[in-house]
Amino acid sequence: MANTDAPAFGIYVHWPFCLSKCPYCDFNSHVRHAAIDEARFTRAFAAEIAATAARVPGRLVSTIFFGGGTPSLMAPETVGAILDAIGRHWTTASDIEVTLEANPTSVEATRFRGYRTAGVNRVSLGVQSLDDGALQQLGRRHSAREALDAVAIARNAFDRYSFDLIYARPGQTSATWAPELKRALAEAGEHLSLYHLTIEPDTPFAALHSSGKLVVPDDDAARDLYDTTQDICARAGLPAYEISNHARPGAECRHNLIYWRSHEYAGIGPGAHGRLDIEGQRHATATEKRPEAWLIRVESLGNGLVTDDVLLRQERADEFLLMGLRLTEGIDLTRYAALAGKPLDPKQIAALAAHGFVVNDGAGRLRVTAAGFPVLDAVVADLAM
Ligand SMILES: C[S@@+](CC[C@H](N)C(=O)[O-])C[C@H]1O[C@@H](n2cnc3c(N)ncnc32)[C@H](O)[C@@H]1O
Ligand code: SF4
């Protein structure tokens, strides 16, 4: 395995607009009926990049991720201008990974070629389902056919592409999910993200769920769906490397690995989070979420920061644990001890190992097992006590 503790620096850029709001989604995404002033946003992104680079100069950028919202609504020129601004302030690695999230509704071959020319080299598509009824239920504006056409466009334009599916949907069983997943794997390249449907507070799905109009699979059915997912993907050569992410070995999303391995990243754009190492301290940053308020803040103050907290030693160690245990590679126990100033409690590890939820691999790493992943939150809570 590559050295997971070698420093890496990534940049997350948030585009906060969508054509419509999906009823399950609580991402920072907004619908605007008037045209978006992309030139104004571009200037603000460049200003925030400059302000961040002044705080963390001299970094080698190994990954950039355009997330949303729907970044595939951005003009390729906007993406290019943001990448140019990043290149003016930091050095970019020769093998940089530049990912852009795309919604099948806004995928066109010309636009994708424009992103590639601008410097994007990986796309992640929000397919969500290959079943038209399920897509309708999820409030999506595309059919399964349109989603597969978008996958084909992505495949032609980029060497590296991934797509997202949501499972554990209302009424779903392993008998209906297995063929859908196999069909998806036949279309997949090197990477797939498979998200268990989460009922997020204050969404239309939360209201339907609490009134009993939307019934999701119970714990046993969800466990069955999870096991089916792991089994089918592993057989297809795309094992899980994170609780919701599957890849051919070596084709993992390097940007997301930066989060899960607790490395350093800058958050640019409305509602973006960052983790910056300044004078030996880790800063947790967040920017103003509302797009227009973020613009005004950047235009008047030079950055959109609303949070800039120095993490306490234990907070940093807890975050390392919480993020790192999502990965099948697990965490380096020595790195945990160095961050926390004390090792994890051997009695807690032994108790969880006795239940088969974790393994200490004897080479200094603690990993969550296949039995432990479905109860990951409880495992982390026990260890962090
Ligand atoms: C920012 S969106 C992706 C790109 C684009 N906006 C789209 O929807 O096509 C990130 C992904 O999060 C997943 N997601 C969002 N809300 C979710 C929820 N409540 N439960 C499970 N997955 C969710 C979806 O799979 C979605 O593709
Ligand atoms: S799932 Fe994607 S398209 Fe739908 S509202 Fe969320 S960010 Fe926008």
Side-chain angles (χ1 to χ4, degrees), residues 15 17 66 69-76 79 100-108 111-112 115 125:
W15 185 253
F17 301 110
F66 289 89
T70 303
S72 53
L73 294 173
M74 297 165 95
V79 172
L100 181 131
E101 274 185 346
N103 185 316
T105 311
S106 52
V107 169
E108 297 146 26
R111 184 178 276 259
F112 264 30
Y115 293 141
L125 277 166

Side-chain angles (χ1 to χ4, degrees), residues 63-368:
T63 66
I64 300 170
F65 193 102
F66 289 89
T70 303
S72 53
L73 294 173
M74 297 165 95
E77 295 70 29
T78 304
V79 172
I82 294 170
L83 291 175
D84 287 348
I86 291 171
R88 277 198 299 278
H89 293 282
W90 287 291
T91 309
T92 50
S94 55
D95 64 345
I96 190 166
E97 174 190 274
V98 184
T99 305
L100 181 131
E101 274 185 346
N103 185 316
T105 311
S106 52
V107 169
E108 297 146 26
T110 330
R111 184 178 276 259
F112 264 30
R113 280 196 294 275
Y115 293 141
R116 194 180 58 195
T117 308
V120 173
N121 55 26
R122 181 176 183 275
V123 289
S124 172
L125 277 166
V127 166
Q128 321 308 2
S129 172
L130 294 178
D131 177 277
D132 283 335
L135 287 169
Q136 213 171 15
Q137 185 179 46
L138 291 168
R140 300 293 290 183
R141 294 161 65 115
H142 56 83
S143 64
R145 181 71 262 154
E146 285 162 340
L148 290 175
D149 289 347
V151 171
I153 291 174
R155 183 184 300 124
N156 287 332
F158 296 99
D159 290 339
R160 299 186 64 198
Y161 70 94
S162 175
F163 58 89
D164 301 346
L165 296 176
I166 296 180
Y167 73 99
R169 305 183 305 250
Q172 199 175 33
T173 62
S174 289
T176 56
W177 170 230
E180 185 181 354
L181 179 57
K182 286 179 185 161
R183 173 92 182 85
L185 281 160
E187 298 287 340
E190 52 171 34
H191 192 284
L192 265 187
S193 299
L194 303 170
Y195 297 111
H196 188 287
L197 175 65
T198 317
I199 303 297
E200 301 290 352
D202 302 322
T203 57
F205 264 27
L208 289 170
H209 185 248
S210 59
S211 67
K213 292 189 184 122
L214 186 142
V215 180
V216 290
D218 64 19
D219 286 353
D220 285 348
R223 177 67 206 265
D224 194 35
L225 287 161
Y226 175 82
D227 291 344
T228 301
T229 306
Q230 304 311 308
D231 186 42
I232 292 176
C233 288
R235 281 170 202 264
L238 269 75
Y241 67 98
E242 191 265 349
I243 191 157
S244 308
N245 283 280
H246 299 253
R248 291 192 198 292
E252 298 84 4
C253 172
R254 284 167 40 211
H255 183 81
N256 287 339
L257 284 175
I258 287 180
Y259 303 148
W260 297 318
R261 290 176 175 166
S262 287
H263 292 313
E264 190 184 25
Y265 57 95
I268 306 291
H273 291 251
R275 293 288 182 274
L276 301 177
D277 295 332
I278 301 169
E279 293 174 2
Q281 291 188 306
R282 172 146 290 201
H283 290 240
T285 68
T287 52
E288 164 63 48
K289 284 178 83 169
R290 294 165 300 162
E292 292 75 15
W294 173 81
L295 269 181
I296 291 166
R297 214 175 164 93
V298 177
E299 287 167 353
S300 55
L301 303 172
N303 69 73
L305 282 182
V306 290
T307 303
D308 184 17
D309 295 335
V310 172
L311 292 182
L312 300 172
R313 186 165 207 174
Q314 193 58 47
E315 286 174 330
R316 203 174 161 188
D318 286 348
E319 189 168 272
F320 173 69
L321 189 70
L322 182 75
M323 299 303 276
L325 287 180
R326 295 168 61 141
L327 290 168
T328 52
E329 71 186 21
I331 58 157
D332 182 301
L333 288 165
T334 313
R335 192 170 162 213
Y336 176 88
L339 287 172
K342 59 176 173 35
L344 280 172
D345 181 356
K347 285 205 269 327
Q348 284 292 356
I349 295 181
L352 289 165
H355 281 98
F357 293 149
V358 298
V359 281
N360 183 339
D361 72 355
R365 296 194 80 84
L366 183 73
R367 303 174 207 273
V368 174

Side-chain angles (χ1 to χ4, degrees), residues 26-73:
D26 80 339
F27 279 79
N28 183 32
S29 62
H30 306 262
V31 178
R32 295 287 178 268
H33 297 294
I36 309 292
D37 186 347
E38 289 199 35
R40 189 175 169 200
F41 271 94
T42 303
R43 287 191 295 276
F45 279 116
E48 201 167 56
I49 287 163
T52 310
R55 300 188 77 199
V56 287
R59 301 295 193 266
L60 178 67
V61 182
S62 48
T63 66
I64 300 170
F65 193 102
F66 289 89
T70 303
S72 53
L73 294 173

